[in-house]
Amino acid sequence: DGAAHLWTPQSLAAFRQAVQRGDYAKFQEYSRMIDDQSRHLCTLRGLFRFKEAESIPIEEVESVESILKHFVSGAMSLGSLSPEAHNAIALAMNRCGAMSNCGEGGENFERFGTEYNSAIKQVASGRFGVTIDYLGNARDIQIKMAQGAKPGEGGQLPGHKVNDFVARIRHAMPGVTLISPPPHHDIYSIEDLAQLIYDLRNANPEARISVKLVSEPGVGTVAAGVAKAKADVVLISGHDGGTGASPLTSIKYAGLPWELGIAEAQQTLVLNGLRENIKIQVDGQLKTGRDVVIGALLGAEEFGFATTILVCLGCVMMRQCHSNTCPMGVATQDPELRKHFAGKPEYIINFLRFIASEVREHLARLGFHSLEEACGRSDMLETDEAIEFFKTRRLDFSALLRPAQGAGVRFNPARGRTELENFDRRELLNRLKLDGHPETLSLKIANADRTVGTELSGVIVKRFGAAGLPEDTVRIRLEGVAGQSLGAFLAPGVTLELTGEANDYVGKGLSGGKIVIRKPPEADYPAEANVIAGNVIGYGGTSGSIYLNGIAGERFAIRNSGMTLVAEGIGDHGCEYMTGGRVVVLGHVGVNFAAGMTGGLAYVYDEKGHFDLSCNPDGVDLESIAPGSEAEEELKTLIEAHRRETGSVKAAAMLADWEQYRAKFVRIFPVEYRNALKAKGAC
């Protein structure tokens, strides 16, 4: 007797019987329930109806197999879902010609190149297991800027769901909560987003790049920016989709229906002459063929399914995904509960084929030969006047349903993508042998040369595997000023040595390579007093090392999950959200150091004795370096490596008078990391 919902015991029962038995008649019964319930004021699209049109024979409509290529699964991560559920989704989508989305949080590398490989790899601006190998095994790389269920908010994977397996693929510590703050912590402007798109295109030139946005007022303007930033797809995510782990404030009071977001994105892109450059995708509780066709008429070309796919696999909507107690083994890492998992890929395939069959029937009645023909034809929708409810009387859908500058403007493949013409193709890939033997190359670099070493890294990993090459096999000596994202996703075996300085995002997503930046030998200023690299150095890196013979900007080593970084001073927010790796700072640090840090260790030279005023004390302990301790040995080894790689005068001075300097170092130890080590008996 409460508020009306689309999922009811009756619709759930009919749905399960249909997908498990392959019973299309039962599925149509389910669809009637959903579509009727939708009209009972559950959704905005429930207030629409199709206009009368001259129908065509269904034989003239594109095939089920063709329609399936327009379908994707929603982003649901391995960790949120059990391995069994995650595997089943990937297998089903691959077998029926659709694409699965691995979600934020990496993927088991053993699935790469198999039927279980997820075609869509989500990067969430580049964190939690995003490596060059991961990106190279994608057909579609999705930047998660926002999600419908939690617009403007981050998420998290509770520590009790982070077992050894999940921690390994996410490059984290078992038992440690993985904090996923809002992506606007990482992407401040459309220029930052454009740079990330460029980085990912370099990492895998064959993959599409998509950007996930949430349906909110103004999303059309953001979608236009995404198109100008040269993405291939923009996803508009509706407010009623998402995860069973969403807080009440998101489920009830945030975001908008996808119908509004799709219409705004379509119209804004058309009005700005950008619609032919980019595809529009939609997700958020799509349940029937009618939903898909309405999405197409409003402007979408691809369609995502998530909750319904989980229901196919046995989800009973207990809404306890975050608690690790899913009784059906769908959204849990508990080995005993996972034994209850009874889902099969065939159930998902049946569901998607049924949806495609319904889409064909609707298209035939509307006189369209394909989804592509229906795209943007919002003139074929009208308000359903038969619905009498006092809240609907003042609603005016004319702006929503009016096509922008004519009907049917959609993505045009002939417009194509901008081909890469980068430093790697021009200099590195043409001049390196890449035969596994050591080689060295010396080149000049300018700040217009962005993302140097990234496409090279993708080629190396495809040729030699994720392990890449032995350290220093490919040594590239650069001189000048490097542009954005020097060494992004740099592969093992590649060393970039820059004499000069670099812009932002050095070593973004570092994947095993080494980056050394040192001041020019003729420079007469002290390195420890000179800024040598920009902001956000080493963002989201999983392995490898960065040595900076000078000061770095703000947000140094944020989301580090396995790298070693040494600098001679940094700006604000250092080591934010760090989950692993080692960081050494030989000089001044800005405020808010270690905010959200849950793993790894940092060492800071506290010359004036008030580092505690610069550190965010929530969640970390500060310790001195005891003589003869493991901490002293590790710190000294890292400073020696920095001196060897950069020729640092400051590092040499510290090592020469070690006892005096050691006493002023502070070790930053995350409490969660310590607790996890204690739980494993390692601390």
Side-chain angles (χ1 to χ4, degrees), residues 327-371:
M328 308 308 293
V330 173
T332 179
Q333 304 306 315
D334 187 313
E336 291 303 312
L337 293 173
R338 282 165 54 190
K339 292 176 183 177
H340 299 162
F341 181 76
K344 295 180 180 179
E346 291 78 12
Y347 301 162
I348 299 172
I349 295 171
N350 286 340
F351 163 63
L352 295 178
R353 292 188 69 87
F354 291 162
I355 289 282
S357 296
E358 287 191 340
V359 168
R360 291 187 79 216
E361 293 166 10
H362 285 297
L363 291 176
R365 281 195 289 272
L366 290 168
F368 295 120
H369 296 85
S370 65
L371 271 174

Side-chain angles (χ1 to χ4, degrees), residues 609-683:
H610 50 56
F611 170 72
D612 56 317
L613 300 178
S614 299
C615 183
N616 187 317
D618 298 336
V620 295
D621 290 333
L622 305 183
E623 306 171 340
S624 57
I625 309 299
S629 64
E630 288 185 16
E632 180 187 31
E633 182 181 348
E634 179 175 60
L635 173 59
K636 201 170 181 180
T637 300
L638 292 171
I639 295 175
E640 170 57 36
H642 181 66
R643 184 204 62 76
R644 185 176 62 250
E645 295 289 351
T646 67
S648 168
V649 172
K650 187 165 190 178
M654 286 180 165
L655 294 167
D657 192 5
W658 179 245
E659 287 305 312
Q660 176 188 333
Y661 283 98
R662 176 192 53 75
K664 294 185 177 180
F665 270 97
V666 177
R667 182 167 78 156
I668 297 87
F669 207 129
V671 174
E672 277 206 66
Y673 182 32
R674 189 189 299 281
N675 293 340
L677 289 175
K678 285 180 178 177
K680 296 185 70 173
C683 181

Side-chain angles (χ1 to χ4, degrees), residues 32-303:
R32 281 193 293 274
M33 293 182 199
I34 294 293
D35 290 342
D36 287 347
Q37 193 70 358
S38 181
R39 291 190 179 95
H40 284 105
L41 315 177
C42 277
T43 66
L44 199 58
R45 58 191 173 276
L47 304 178
F48 304 158
R49 68 181 176 199
F50 299 126
K51 287 184 179 177
E52 293 294 325
E54 187 175 340
S55 63
I56 60 174
I58 197 166
E59 293 77 20
E60 295 182 16
V61 179
E62 69 175 317
S63 66
V64 164
E65 287 69 25
S66 177
I67 291 172
L68 286 170
K69 293 176 182 177
H70 295 262
F71 294 168
V72 301
S73 68
M76 297 176 285
S77 69
L78 180 49
S80 172
L81 301 186
S82 67
E84 292 79 8
H86 206 266
N87 285 357
I89 293 169
L91 189 60
M93 303 305 278
N94 286 335
R95 284 183 176 175
C96 71
M99 292 199 294
S100 66
N101 188 324
C102 76
E104 178 185 359
E107 186 168 77
N108 184 4
F109 69 89
E110 294 174 359
R111 288 166 53 173
F112 296 165
T114 73
E115 269 195 306
Y116 293 94
N117 183 49
S118 295
I120 304 172
K121 300 282 195 290
Q122 198 177 65
V123 302
S125 58
R127 55 180 183 251
F128 296 148
V130 177
T131 66
I132 188 66
D133 187 40
Y134 172 87
L135 298 174
N137 281 278
R139 287 167 49 202
D140 190 305
I141 302 172
Q142 184 175 92
I143 301 166
K144 175 184 169 186
M145 280 294 294
Q147 64 186 56
K150 291 186 278 192
E153 301 177 31
Q156 68 179 55
L157 191 68
H160 53 257
K161 294 191 79 169
V162 185
N163 60 16
D164 288 345
F165 172 67
V166 171
R168 177 169 61 82
I169 64 171
R170 292 191 177 218
H171 296 258
M173 277 290 293
V176 174
T177 296
L178 295 175
I179 303 170
S180 173
H184 61 246
H185 277 217
D186 314 323
I187 296 174
Y188 299 95
S189 66
I190 203 70
E191 288 84 1
D192 284 341
L193 181 61
Q195 180 61 46
L196 178 57
I197 290 168
Y198 184 75
D199 296 337
L200 297 174
R201 200 176 299 291
N202 274 266
N204 184 348
E206 305 304 316
R208 299 190 316 178
I209 310 299
S210 69
V211 178
K212 182 176 184 178
L213 305 177
V214 64
S215 180
E216 286 189 315
V219 70
T221 302
V222 183
V226 168
K228 289 179 180 179
K230 296 184 169 60
D232 303 298
V233 183
V234 60
L235 165 57
I236 308 295
S237 190
H239 71 137
D240 54 355
T243 168
S246 294
L248 184 64
T249 50
S250 287
I251 294 172
K252 297 293 185 183
Y253 310 112
L256 292 178
W258 57 255
E259 296 91 326
L260 292 173
I262 286 289
E264 182 179 333
Q266 166 76 4
Q267 293 182 29
T268 305
L269 289 167
V270 170
L271 288 169
N272 287 277
L274 296 166
R275 183 61 180 91
E276 293 179 287
N277 295 9
I278 195 165
K279 282 191 173 183
I280 295 179
Q281 194 178 106
V282 63
D283 70 16
Q285 295 295 345
L286 301 178
K287 286 184 167 63
T288 67
R290 179 180 185 271
D291 291 346
V292 169
V293 172
I294 288 176
L297 294 175
L298 290 175
E301 290 144 303
E302 295 183 350
F303 310 88

